[in-house]
Amino acid sequence: MKRLILLIAIITGAATSAWAVELNIDDFFVYNIMTHRDVTAVQVKGKELKQYKLSSFRSITVNNNAKLAKTALRYIVKDAKLASQKEEGTKSGRLLYGFYVFKSGNDKNRYLFFRLNNPDADVVTDITVVDMEGKATFDELKQMFK
């Protein structure tokens, strides 16, 4: 019985996310969305990110797809409530962009950035979502996205 419990604990541990903090937006970064024809996806890990004090970077840009853009925005709004630090921009009550920091128990933070790419349209169809992890500060990352 002890072996069975140990095996279950090992399998469960191996199946958990590699990210320092788990977020709702993780459900958006799945294969069927990342390979969708209206999506441009980028994933980077390793040495290329070291100069930015990041260990992981992934982004999705949705073009001309209201359903996908609305799904991403729904996840972002949920995750924003968990952020330890945030900056948001609105216009006429509409959320246009957001930058969020999520503190973890280890030495890495998780960062979520998004912006509407068609903010003046009646229906949101274009959005960019960037998900990062590392040791960079909030201000350092904001400078990268200016």
Side-chain angles (χ1 to χ4, degrees):
M1 183 66 164
K2 289 181 183 179
R3 286 184 184 173
L4 178 61
I5 292 171
L6 180 60
L7 180 61
I8 291 171
I10 291 170
I11 291 170
T12 304
T16 59
S17 173
W19 294 90
V21 177
E22 291 186 35
L23 299 173
N24 292 289
I25 199 66
D26 292 334
D27 291 339
F28 196 65
F29 284 90
V30 293
Y31 180 79
N32 63 325
I33 291 177
M34 293 182 74
T35 58
H36 193 280
R37 63 180 167 82
D38 296 331
V39 168
T40 302
V42 175
Q43 288 187 300
V44 182
K45 285 188 175 197
K47 296 176 193 174
E48 297 86 6
L49 298 173
K50 194 171 186 172
Q51 67 182 355
Y52 304 108
K53 298 181 187 174
L54 296 173
S55 54
S56 297
F57 174 98
R58 61 185 182 173
S59 71
I60 289 181
T61 299
V62 175
N63 291 306
N64 202 29
N65 189 313
K67 183 178 179 184
L68 287 179
K70 185 177 178 181
T71 299
L73 202 50
R74 186 175 68 241
Y75 289 141
I76 291 163
V77 168
K78 284 181 183 178
D79 289 334
K81 295 174 185 173
L82 306 172
S84 59
Q85 223 177 334
K86 65 176 136 183
E87 179 179 304
E88 297 176 321
T90 60
K91 181 178 179 183
S92 301
R94 181 186 238 178
L95 190 59
L96 302 178
Y97 74 88
F99 197 96
Y100 309 98
V101 179
F102 305 89
K103 300 284 185 188
S104 69
N106 63 27
D107 62 342
K108 291 183 181 177
N109 293 320
R110 185 146 177 207
Y111 316 94
L112 183 60
F113 166 78
F114 93 93
R115 99 176 163 186
L116 299 183
N117 297 332
N118 62 334
D120 295 324
D122 291 335
V123 177
V124 174
T125 59
D126 298 24
I127 189 170
T128 296
V129 180
V130 179
D131 187 17
M132 301 164 284
E133 185 176 68
K135 297 179 181 182
T137 67
F138 185 64
D139 290 332
E140 288 170 331
L141 289 175
K142 283 192 331 186
Q143 288 299 316
M144 284 187 244
F145 285 96
K146 280 192 173 188

